Amino acid sequence: MTDLQAATAAPLTDLRDAAAGALARQLSPRYLEEHCLLPLGFDADGMLLLAVSAEPDPTVLDELQRFYQRPVRVVLHAVGEIRAALLTAERDAAPADIDAIAQDAGDEQPLDDLRALAEQEPVIRLVNVTLLDALRAGASDVHVEPLANELRVRYRLDGVLREMTRIGRQYQAAMTSRIKIMAGLDIAERRVPQDGRIRLRLAERDVDLRVSTLPGLHGESIVLRLLDQGTATPALRALGMPDGVREQFEKLVGRTGGLLLVTGPTGSGKTTTLYAPLARLNTAAVKIVTVEDPIEYRIDGVTQVPVNVRAGMGFAAALRSILRHDPDIIMVGELRDAETATIAIQASLTGHLVLSTLHTTDAVGAVTRLVDMGVEPYLVAATMQGALAQRLVRVLCDACAAPRAATAQERARWGTEPATPRTATGCAACANSGYRGRRGIYELFTPDEAARADIVAGVSPDILRTGAQRQGCVALRDEGWRLVRDGVTTPEELVRALGESDR
């Protein structure tokens, strides 16, 4: 049996030699697609290099060895890479000659030609396979980026972009038009950014996609945010919060009024953290209403309102309407402006528990951010029940992480505490990244009476931060170093998530 070898970091198109297309065309397109394989050429030993997405059937290998009269060496590649490469090898199988009308992306093309391109079977298949591959890989975003001579496709996996494949430039107009048609965008407009949404069913799962286009030097760049509606709402215990932080947070969400904030940069898991308590609070005795952009999880029994700026339904307008809907708990996806923040504060003063998010670097920064948005300090002090800052860090792959000795700086930081740090290595299980999955690190600020007095007095964030640490608030960086000590993640990952470290 031929061993399955992991592909190198080079894209599939770079691994093929000039004869690869001719080799592929010796087999029928149906055969190549059915077995998801592609001949790449011959290696130095005269063996046939065969790209596959999984261990092939021995019968298939025997057939290919007899057909090409060469021994076969298989190389592992992502399904999307092979499908995209097959399009290049299968041009003769396309229902129309795409290359005949696919000109340079900067040229003006007739709308009928663009629509015809987008409806070609190979193009439809390429877009669908790319999305399906991204969904199966657990990607949060798909980036389709035109380069000088080709189209690059990257997935954001565990918060980090990874290149998956490159597609011939002759397919740029076709792929771009297909995505824009699916998202209801204007395919003739290439000079200004556009935003749209797609809802489709992939692999028996309902998926919503937010689509954003941006004009660039070599054509339109497209980013698709994948929102898998089949994803279950997480439980608080599943988020990885330390027990002390989780217990405090559960007490805060159990209150009948006030403002509770979750802070952090885009992609740090803020919305997921807010959904976790909503699922538990969702009972027949409680009215919960949310306003979101977009709705990321669906919860039966919760009234979820999507933002629609074009229709005049922004966060502030939606929040005003929600207050007339007799809610007990309100979740606002984000406090983006002074008007929304003011209405949220007023709602929290009138017997509603308001949950929302802000973009700040730490928990105490939520106070400063609200004041900067125009909320009076005394209102912040009266309503804020707590602020939870968080980041997501990648977790070391258990299959390949290697133990290492602690550095002198780490020994000084940890003292006599037992430490089992590990380093990232990389293997087939983690696609040679050294990491597999993510978990959160958290910092919870719950203002006491002294802190509320300091907020009203307008003291500096540093004073608030010092007071919070005296009350037992563990800083994000300290919590991150605890995970490094326990061999969960690495110092390099902390630098990526939190910025330069003081190690």
Side-chain angles (χ1 to χ4, degrees), residues 208 226-235 239 269-276 278-279 290 292-300 302-305 331 392:
D208 286 343
L226 277 68
L227 304 172
D228 185 0
Q229 300 301 331
T231 303
T233 306
L239 297 181
K270 301 185 297 296
T271 305
T272 299
T273 298
L274 285 182
Y275 269 107
L278 284 185
T290 74
E292 308 167 62
D293 183 25
I295 296 172
E296 296 190 23
Y297 297 89
R298 297 181 183 180
I299 307 177
D300 287 338
V302 173
T303 302
Q304 296 175 272
V305 180
M331 190 191 89
L392 293 177

Side-chain angles (χ1 to χ4, degrees), residues 31-32 54 105 168 206 214 296 348 398 412 415 435 480:
Y31 183 89
L32 294 171
D206 292 322
L214 189 66
E296 296 190 23
S348 65
D398 286 330
Y435 301 91

